[in-house]
Amino acid sequence: MPTDTVYGVGVALGTPDGLPRLFEAKDRPLDRAIVLLVADLEQAASVGILSPAARVLAERFWPGGLTLVLAQAPGARLPCALTVGAATIGVRLPDHDSPRALAREVGPLPVTSANLSGHPDARDASEVMGQLGGRIDLVLDGGPARGGIPSTVVDCSGYLPRILRVGAISSAELADALSRAGLAHSIA
């Protein structure tokens, strides 16, 4: 499916053997967690604890290029294969209607880039088919993906938010949003 950056490949959480098939389709190492794309802030809160910092950042930068790493919400019951056994989950609200509509219909959606691990990102349906072809069941052709910079990843599971990867949202923008909200942070 197209996203706001590149094409992604995903599966409904409740699909029997869905997560193992997702890892297999990409040749993805089993020790790499997969983020959930969500339809809205409420859906994000159903799987992760939105700390004050996470809520401020989500309200400022979603939908868009921000992935938040959250402590898992009590009762979320996320599969170990999705989180690689961690007590956290990466969550993103993309700036594209397709993955948000799918997440609205089937729930938070485990999605990763639609390419073989270690290969270039797929930017259109033909590139997805070239890499994943018979390994996946369906391609939603939404034309060329916008491409660009990957999401910024911010860990909000602890006391102070910390950047794990700088991407579409700069550290200055993150620091400004948190400072304006009066929240402690160590983002320079």
Side-chain angles (χ1 to χ4, degrees):
M1 76 191 83
T3 73
D4 50 344
T5 53
V6 296
Y7 268 68
V9 61
V11 64
L13 270 174
T15 303
D17 296 323
L19 284 172
R21 284 189 62 210
L22 182 59
F23 278 89
E24 186 178 319
K26 282 186 55 83
D27 289 336
R28 185 179 178 95
L30 296 175
D31 63 347
R32 295 192 54 212
I34 294 178
V35 303
L36 293 173
L37 297 188
V38 295
D40 51 39
L41 193 58
E42 182 179 319
Q43 201 172 66
S46 74
V47 294
I49 297 171
L50 289 170
S51 66
R55 187 168 294 279
V56 163
L57 295 175
E59 289 173 353
R60 169 65 179 88
F61 299 108
W62 278 359
L66 176 66
T67 298
L68 295 174
V69 176
L70 308 172
Q72 287 186 41
R77 295 189 182 105
L78 298 173
C80 186
L82 177 69
T83 64
V84 193
T88 57
I89 184 67
V91 181
R92 188 162 90 84
L93 180 66
D95 190 13
H96 195 289
D97 292 336
S98 293
R100 288 197 319 258
L102 285 169
R104 246 189 313 282
E105 291 300 316
V106 302
L109 201 59
V111 173
T112 182
S113 57
N115 60 319
L116 292 171
S117 287
H119 287 74
D121 293 328
R123 297 186 191 256
D124 61 37
S126 67
E127 289 180 7
V128 172
M129 290 303 293
Q131 289 192 51
L132 301 180
R135 297 171 175 236
I136 56 177
D137 296 332
L138 175 71
V139 175
L140 297 177
D141 187 346
R146 291 181 227 157
I149 302 169
S151 67
T152 295
V153 180
V154 179
D155 185 344
C156 290
S157 64
Y159 174 69
L160 291 177
R162 63 187 176 99
I163 297 174
L164 301 179
R165 177 181 75 195
V166 176
I169 312 292
S170 72
S171 55
E173 291 173 293
L174 296 168
D176 181 62
L178 293 167
S179 294
R180 286 178 185 269
L183 295 173
H185 66 86
S186 59
I187 298 171

